[in-house]
């Protein structure tokens, strides 16, 4: 039986005679634990948030879909939520109820009381019930209001014809054929809410848009803190204020940024590190350094410090100012307001970020050579940052990527972070992820192929050649062009292993990804002393499954791929047939490309291999001059 209503024999209305028994001699007992106390211990964000969100609408309107998506979102943000679905409750608590008017009334009464208990416990309770009668919904509201709990009626207003087209359960068809009697919308009236808190247009809005409309309501009613609502916080000056900001900045003292600073400014400006409002102040810096998170307003993963190092003379010059301009390559880029200077304890920063302070590590070397002070402050970026290198069109912001995914009608986005050329082992992992998502019922999974575009160490393949190589992979049909978005992630590379992989994952969440493919040794490198790898190759993916603030992203675990000599192509490694496989390391791949040696057939798309050989040939020519 379902809440979608079908007729039942009268003798099923009350088979056990339960409603003939009325409880007497019962007294309300007061709890010793207050709601404020429950709010302190429930979830990750503190504060009492108990309430009921009551979704009502026709069968097939999308009530359960939206409520389950909202439940998933809230839980991923550390806010306890539970969805009560009509069909599910009729399998348990309400299994003795039929679909007479009286039974429907009792069904909603029971649900209302259960929802009140959930809400009183500090949980955001989501109910998805047709609940066609106004009197029943009003009674549900009164039960909550009498208990001092917030109640929000959400009318999922989906046209009858759309619900009939969906008809996932085949109930409309049966109702039209007369098999089901008293079906809401066909031969049973649905009393539309007169004053719901919001109306969700189920036939017009996407699931994400529907969820966002409810989130906005919960923010307005102080159920949710602003930090719990997933927004990308861009730091650009509004278009109508650009000229005034530029004029103001011209009159200010200026700080000359390095290229590395400029790359981090772009990361901040475009919202990859939301909710940061600028370069980290000391409080934010300490939270990242010690907890890998930002904790004010809730848990937001931010495992890498995004800071502005300043030398002694600049600190002395800028220390007492309310604001100063940030300049790069002769052009004012931003205004930094309310600056806060604090000591750059370099060894502590390095040991906590990388697990070592060995100056042979290329990024650590840059840290050690940078200023003795860090400057935090709010950033106002005057205009979109461009590098004019022919690749700016691929530097899409998180908001631009989200809009593109909506335009493509993507129902799942899986991201692959890389700083190396793509070989067919990588492609196999991406192809397999797409196949598995389709098997799970997703209709339009989209791959975000997202090479890192900031600073990398000298022996890595530079961005322009990596982009050419990635395009060659697409041209060869190794990856599906129609369901792949290639874009550049502007962040510099830290080579900080499990600490950095959290940053890579968090940033893709900002872009709208809900699945993340993690590699074998993400963000790893050999120890600078040459003795071993700096990080255990499995720790990156294991840490991601435990990292706070990343729970809304599903981690796709790495599967080892190697060259299958029998099949003549890359394949998932099978230890039972290890003699069939050959591992081609990155070092060997680079050596073959330098010498012009061809890899085994099926290792890499031929055009993509040609691009790699072209780069190493050019590099050799430059080194010989």
């Amino acid at each position: 039986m379902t809440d979608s209503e079908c007729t039942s024999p009268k003798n099923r209305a009350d088979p056990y005679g339960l409603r003939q028994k009325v409880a007497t001699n019962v007294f309300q007992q007061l709890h010793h634990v207050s709601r404020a106390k429950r709010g302190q211990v429930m979830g990750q964000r503190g504060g009492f948030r108990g309430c009921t969100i009551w979704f009502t609408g026709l069968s097939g309107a999308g009530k359960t879909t939206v409520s389950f998506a909202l439940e998933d979102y809230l839980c991923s943000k550390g806010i306890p939520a539970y969805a009560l679905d009509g069909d599910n409750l009729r399998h348990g608590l309400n299994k003795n109820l039929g679909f007479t008017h009286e039974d429907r009334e009792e069904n909603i009464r029971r649900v209302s009381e259960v929802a009140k208990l959930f809400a009183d416990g500090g949980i955001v309770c989501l109910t998805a019930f047709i609940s066609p009668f106004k009197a029943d919904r009003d009674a549900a509201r009164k039960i909550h209001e009498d208990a001092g709990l917030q109640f929000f009626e959400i009318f999922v207003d989906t046209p009858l014809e759309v619900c009939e087209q969906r008809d996932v359960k085949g109930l409309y068809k049966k109702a039209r054929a007369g098999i089901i009697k008293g079906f809401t919308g066909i031969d049973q009236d649905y009393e539309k809410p007169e004053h719901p808190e919001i109306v969700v247009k189920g036939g017009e809005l996407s699931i994400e848009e529907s969820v966002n409309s409810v989130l906005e309501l919960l923010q307005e009613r102080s159920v949710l803190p602003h930090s719990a609502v997933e927004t990308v916080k861009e730091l650009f000056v509004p278009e109508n204020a650009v000229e005034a900001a530029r004029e103001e900045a011209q009159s200010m003292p200026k700080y000359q940024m390095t290229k590395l600073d400029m790359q981090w400014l772009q990361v901040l400006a475009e919202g990859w590190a939301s909710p940061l409002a600028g370069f980290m102040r000391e409080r934010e810096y300490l939270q990242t350094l010690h907890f890998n998170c930002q904790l004010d307003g809730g848990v937001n993963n931010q495992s890498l410090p995004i800071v502005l190092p300043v030398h002694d003379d600049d600190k002395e010059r800028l220390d007492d100012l309310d604001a100063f301009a940030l300049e790069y390559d002769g052009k004012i880029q931003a205004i930094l307001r309310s600056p806060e200077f604090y000591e750059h304890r370099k060894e502590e920063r390095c040991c906590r970020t990388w697990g070592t302070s060995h100056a042979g590590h290329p990024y650590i070397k840059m840290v050690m050579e940078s200023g003795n002070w860090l400057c935090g402050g709010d950033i106002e970026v005057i205009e979109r940052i461009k590098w004019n290198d022919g690749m700016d069109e691929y530097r899409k912001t998180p908001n631009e990527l989200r809009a593109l995914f909506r335009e493509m009608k993507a129902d799942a986005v899986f991201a692959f972070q890389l700083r190396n050329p793509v070989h067919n082992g990588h492609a196999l992992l991406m192809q397999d992820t797409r196949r598995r998502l389709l098997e799970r019922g997703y209709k339009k999974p989209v791959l975000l192929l997202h090479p890192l575009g900031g600073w990398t160490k000298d022996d890595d393949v530079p961005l322009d050649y990596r982009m050419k190589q990635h395009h060659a992979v697409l041209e060869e049909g190794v990856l599906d062009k129609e369901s792949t978005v290639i874009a550049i992630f502007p962040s510099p590379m830290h080579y900080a292993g499990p600490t950095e992989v959290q940053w890579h994952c968090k940033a893709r969440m900002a872009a709208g990804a809900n699945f993340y493919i993690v590699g074998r040794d993400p963000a790893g490198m050999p120890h600078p002393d040459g003795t071993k790898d700096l990080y255990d190759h499995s720790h990156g993916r294991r840490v991601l499954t435990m990292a706070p603030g990343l729970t809304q992203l599903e981690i796709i675990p790495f599967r080892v791929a190697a060259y299958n000599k029998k099949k003549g192509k890359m394949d998932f490694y099978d230890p039972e047939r290890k003699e069939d496989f050959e591992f081609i390391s990155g070092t060997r791949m680079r050596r073959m490309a330098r010498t012009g040696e061809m890899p085994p057939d099926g290792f890499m798309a031929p055009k993509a291999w040609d691009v790699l050989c072209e780069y190493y040939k050019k590099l050799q020519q430059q080194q010989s001059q």
Side-chain angles (χ1 to χ4, degrees):
M1 287 296 173
T2 72
D3 182 55
S4 306
E5 297 142 298
C6 41
T7 53
S8 305
K10 287 183 180 178
N11 62 0
R12 291 192 55 192
D14 188 20
Y16 307 114
L18 295 178
R19 267 168 284 149
Q20 304 305 314
K21 301 175 183 178
V22 179
T24 58
N25 300 318
V26 292
F27 303 92
Q28 185 80 27
Q29 302 297 311
L30 298 178
H31 288 275
H32 291 262
V33 179
S34 68
R35 288 176 182 170
K37 181 63 177 176
R38 285 198 191 98
Q40 290 175 2
V41 298
M42 293 288 284
Q44 299 173 1
R45 293 182 181 268
F48 181 79
R49 310 193 188 283
C51 65
T52 289
I53 303 170
W54 192 282
F55 291 94
T56 177
L58 296 173
S59 177
K63 303 179 300 297
T64 296
T65 301
V66 176
S67 68
F68 280 9
L70 180 59
E71 176 190 38
D72 182 48
Y73 181 92
L74 292 173
C75 288
S76 75
K77 291 298 184 180
I79 293 172
Y82 193 86
L84 299 173
D85 175 68
D87 287 7
N88 291 348
L89 261 70
R90 282 190 177 273
H91 280 89
L93 178 67
N94 294 342
K95 67 189 297 182
N96 66 315
L97 298 179
F99 290 92
T100 64
H101 186 96
E102 293 77 13
D103 278 7
R104 286 174 173 173
E105 183 180 330
E106 174 63 11
N107 180 46
I108 297 305
R109 189 196 67 79
R110 291 184 192 179
V111 172
S112 304
E113 293 288 356
V114 170
K116 182 192 76 173
L117 295 176
F118 273 84
D120 190 46
I123 294 169
V124 177
C125 185
L126 314 164
T127 69
F129 291 79
I130 293 171
S131 44
F133 306 125
K134 178 181 181 299
D136 294 345
R137 298 192 301 265
D138 289 346
R141 183 185 293 273
K142 188 173 187 305
I143 285 171
H144 285 75
E145 290 177 347
D146 287 351
L149 294 164
Q150 294 197 79
F151 180 95
F152 307 110
E153 185 177 43
I154 312 298
F155 176 29
V156 184
D157 185 10
T158 306
L160 177 61
E161 57 270 21
V162 174
C163 296
E164 284 202 70
Q165 286 168 9
R166 292 173 177 173
D167 202 14
V168 177
K169 303 168 188 174
L171 299 176
Y172 281 100
K173 187 177 180 181
K174 291 179 180 178
R176 290 290 186 191
I179 299 171
I180 296 176
K181 304 292 185 184
F183 191 83
T184 302
I186 303 300
D187 54 356
Q188 167 70 58
D189 287 340
Y190 174 80
E191 299 173 2
K192 291 186 177 183
E194 295 174 2
H195 304 290
E197 271 67 19
I198 58 172
V199 176
V200 172
K201 293 291 185 180
E204 300 171 16
L205 300 181
S206 68
I207 295 171
E208 182 183 1
E209 290 168 332
S210 301
V211 168
N212 285 339
S213 66
V214 182
L215 292 174
E216 288 173 11
L217 170 69
L218 296 180
Q219 263 192 310
E220 290 170 8
R221 301 300 180 87
S222 302
V223 173
L224 299 187
H226 285 280
S227 61
V229 178
E230 187 178 283
T231 54
V232 175
K233 187 174 184 176
E234 291 187 348
L235 305 181
F236 296 111
V237 172
E239 196 172 332
N240 62 359
V242 167
E243 287 310 314
R246 186 177 282 116
E247 188 176 331
E248 181 188 7
Q250 288 289 355
S251 65
M252 289 178 168
K254 298 169 183 61
Y255 176 76
Q256 301 297 325
M257 293 187 296
T258 66
K259 187 175 183 179
L260 189 68
D261 297 334
M262 181 68 165
Q263 291 173 352
W264 283 120
L265 181 69
Q266 182 173 10
V267 166
L268 290 167
E270 295 179 356
W272 297 100
S274 296
L276 289 181
F279 288 107
M280 287 180 175
R281 300 179 184 276
E282 188 169 28
R283 177 180 175 84
E284 295 166 324
Y285 174 70
L286 290 174
Q287 289 178 2
T288 282
L289 215 58
H290 291 272
F291 308 115
N292 283 357
C293 289
Q294 293 297 295
L295 301 174
D296 295 333
V299 177
N300 285 286
N301 193 282
Q302 182 60 53
S303 58
L304 293 184
I306 300 180
V307 292
L308 183 64
V310 174
H311 289 284
D312 295 351
D313 54 347
D314 284 313
K315 190 258 184 187
E316 220 174 288
R317 181 171 61 89
L318 303 169
D319 201 0
D320 295 325
L321 299 175
D322 293 330
F324 56 85
L326 299 177
E327 191 172 64
Y328 175 72
D329 201 21
K331 182 179 178 182
I332 292 175
Q333 302 289 341
I335 296 172
L336 188 149
R337 298 197 186 274
S338 305
E340 174 190 338
F341 292 90
Y342 53 100
E343 185 182 356
H344 189 185
R345 299 178 63 85
K346 299 175 186 178
E347 185 176 11
E348 180 185 12
R349 174 186 172 186
C350 293
C351 289
R352 288 196 173 276
T353 302
W354 287 276
T356 179
S357 59
H358 196 298
H361 187 292
Y363 204 112
I364 291 175
K365 181 173 183 291
M366 293 192 295
V367 170
M368 292 301 187
E369 293 171 353
S370 68
N372 294 324
W373 302 92
L374 298 175
C375 180
D378 294 354
I379 292 295
E380 296 171 10
V381 181
I382 292 174
E383 61 185 2
R384 183 78 173 264
I385 293 170
K386 295 187 181 297
W387 297 92
N388 300 314
D389 55 4
M391 295 182 286
D392 283 326
E393 66 177 297
Y394 296 105
R395 293 185 174 95
K396 298 187 184 298
T397 68
N399 281 331
E400 287 172 340
L401 286 168
R402 283 172 175 261
L404 180 57
F405 298 143
R406 285 195 295 270
E407 186 182 316
M408 296 174 71
K409 301 190 185 312
D411 56 356
V413 177
F414 59 108
F416 189 65
Q417 136 82 29
L418 67 168
R419 71 172 200 272
N420 288 312
V422 174
H423 58 63
N424 287 356
H426 299 135
L428 180 65
L429 191 55
M430 291 182 262
Q431 293 161 353
D432 185 64
T433 299
R434 174 176 167 76
R435 177 188 60 78
R436 284 194 280 167
L437 290 174
L438 288 168
E439 287 177 353
R440 286 170 56 172
Y442 291 98
K443 304 299 183 187
K444 189 67 184 295
V446 170
L447 165 65
L448 173 59
L449 189 63
H450 213 200
L452 183 134
W455 174 88
T456 56
K457 54 191 175 69
D458 291 341
D459 60 348
D460 280 350
V461 178
L463 178 62
D464 55 346
Y465 273 93
R466 281 185 281 131
M467 288 295 287
K468 283 174 67 175
Q469 196 267 354
H470 300 341
H471 280 294
V473 168
L474 288 172
E475 287 167 16
E476 293 261 18
V478 177
L479 296 172
D480 177 33
K481 268 187 179 182
E482 299 304 312
S483 61
T484 300
V485 171
I486 182 167
I488 294 171
F489 175 42
S491 175
M493 187 76 192
H494 264 61
Y495 304 93
T499 299
E500 182 169 18
V501 75
Q502 295 175 65
W503 159 241
H504 292 167
C505 189
K506 174 253 174 76
R508 277 34 181 249
M509 279 171 49
N514 39 21
F515 296 90
Y516 184 78
I517 303 173
V518 60
R520 175 184 176 274
D521 184 19
M525 63 172 283
H527 196 288
D529 66 12
T531 57
K532 57 184 177 181
D533 285 343
L534 191 51
Y535 310 106
D536 183 288
H537 67 83
S538 70
H539 284 183
R541 62 182 180 272
R542 289 166 64 187
V543 164
L544 278 187
T545 63
M546 301 181 281
L550 298 179
T551 50
Q552 77 184 85
L553 205 66
E554 184 173 331
I555 307 304
I556 307 295
F558 176 76
R559 295 178 66 189
V560 178
Y563 186 73
N564 188 319
K565 294 179 287 187
K566 283 192 174 180
K567 293 182 179 179
K569 64 178 185 179
M570 297 298 287
D571 194 9
F572 290 122
Y573 178 67
D574 181 357
E576 298 293 319
R577 299 181 292 108
K578 59 183 179 181
E579 65 281 354
D580 295 345
F581 290 88
E582 179 182 1
F583 286 92
I584 300 175
S585 67
T587 303
R588 181 181 167 191
M589 179 183 74
R590 288 189 288 271
R591 186 177 66 246
M592 287 191 296
R594 283 193 201 97
T595 59
E597 180 185 348
M598 290 298 294
D601 287 343
F603 172 73
M604 185 183 289
K607 287 183 182 177
W609 181 255
D610 290 343
V611 172
L612 206 54
C613 291
E614 177 191 335
Y615 164 68
Y616 281 110
K617 184 178 179 181
K618 181 181 176 182
L619 183 64
Q620 285 178 325
Q621 289 172 347
Q622 290 172 343
Q623 290 171 344
S624 64
Q625 290 173 356

